[in-house]
């Protein structure tokens, strides 16, 4: 965890959410941040809990997910170091619409809703930054809805592999950042179906797999499967 105030300020000033803010505003953010640590598998909040604030991941990984009445899990997003989540409930005062769990030991910074809103009233620049965050999250959720409703599983997987590639400077060698069971939940399918799709793409020489490492052998065919769109 960030043990010194200087480390906390440096961390906050270097994440995308606050990058470019004046030092005095970063200092004010640091004053309201509350350090929290969660063990692997520990629930951070559940759907329906009071939206008391939002979080930034310092280290570890967090999944945000929904669970149906039948117990089926749909992963909505995975967050790693430097990522932030649960901002919307922190603004509208509504309950958390989904649940969050630590996938490994995770260190988070929690920003209480009341303290943060008071700070925004004093510092409008922060409010403008948050508007950008909402816009990015809206794009992500719109893409998720499209993937789950309009694409078959091969198209969803192709989209995700291209996303990993783009995140890694368009490299043709990517590494899955989650288990295949978690990836299946993210893509709205089951592990058995996902395994068959991996096997099919490998048999057609579109990809090759070696454990969690995947080589993109035919990027153009992947783009075609993804519908010509990349997230």
């Amino acid at each position: 965890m960030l043990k010194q105030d200087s480390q906390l300020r440096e961390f906050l000033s270097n994440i995308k959410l606050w990058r470019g803010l004046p030092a005095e505003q970063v200092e004010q953010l640091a004053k309201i941040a509350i350090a929290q640590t969660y063990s692997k598998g520990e629930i951070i909040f559940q759907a329906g809990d009071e939206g008391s604030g939002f979080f930034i991941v310092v280290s570890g990984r967090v999944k945000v997910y929904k669970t149906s009445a039948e117990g089926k899990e749909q992963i909505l997003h995975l967050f790693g170091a430097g990522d932030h989540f649960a901002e919307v409930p922190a603004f509208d005062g509504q309950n958390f619409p989904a649940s969050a769990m630590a996938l490994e030991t995770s260190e988070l910074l929690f920003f209480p809703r009341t303290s943060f809103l008071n700070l925004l009233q004093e510092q409008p620049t922060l409010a403008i930054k948050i508007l950008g965050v909402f816009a990015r999250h809206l794009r992500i959720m719109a893409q998720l809805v499209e993937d789950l409703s309009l694409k078959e599983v091969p198209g969803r997987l192709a989209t995700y592999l291209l996303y990993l590639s783009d995140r890694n400077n368009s490299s043709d060698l990517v590494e899955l950042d989650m288990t295949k069971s978690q990836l299946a939940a993210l893509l709205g399918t089951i592990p058995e179906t996902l395994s068959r799709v991996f096997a099919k793409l490998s048999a057609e020489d579109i990809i090759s797999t070696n454990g969690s490492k995947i080589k993109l052998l035919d990027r153009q065919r992947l783009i075609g499967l993804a519908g010509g769109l990349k997230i």
Side-chain angles (χ1 to χ4, degrees), residues 19-74:
R19 193 171 297 158
L21 286 180
E24 59 270 20
Q25 292 186 356
V26 174
E27 176 70 29
Q28 290 174 310
L29 287 165
K31 288 179 179 179
I32 66 172
I34 300 173
Q36 299 179 340
T37 301
Y38 292 86
S39 303
K40 179 180 179 180
E42 188 174 356
I43 298 294
I44 300 167
F45 56 78
Q46 293 184 319
D49 288 351
E50 178 187 357
S52 54
F54 73 97
F55 302 81
I56 295 177
V57 182
V58 177
S59 65
R61 287 196 304 153
V62 171
K63 70 174 179 180
V64 172
Y65 62 99
K66 295 275 286 186
T67 305
S68 69
E70 295 77 26
K72 181 180 179 181
E73 180 182 289
Q74 172 65 58

Side-chain angles (χ1 to χ4, degrees), residues 81-118:
D83 292 334
H84 41 86
F85 60 98
E87 301 93 341
V88 173
F91 269 83
D92 65 16
Q94 302 297 311
N95 296 339
F96 290 119
S99 302
M101 175 190 290
L103 292 175
E104 56 192 65
T105 298
S106 299
E107 299 171 332
L108 309 179
L109 293 175
F110 174 66
F111 292 82
R113 178 175 186 268
T114 301
S115 299
F116 187 66
L117 292 181
N118 289 339

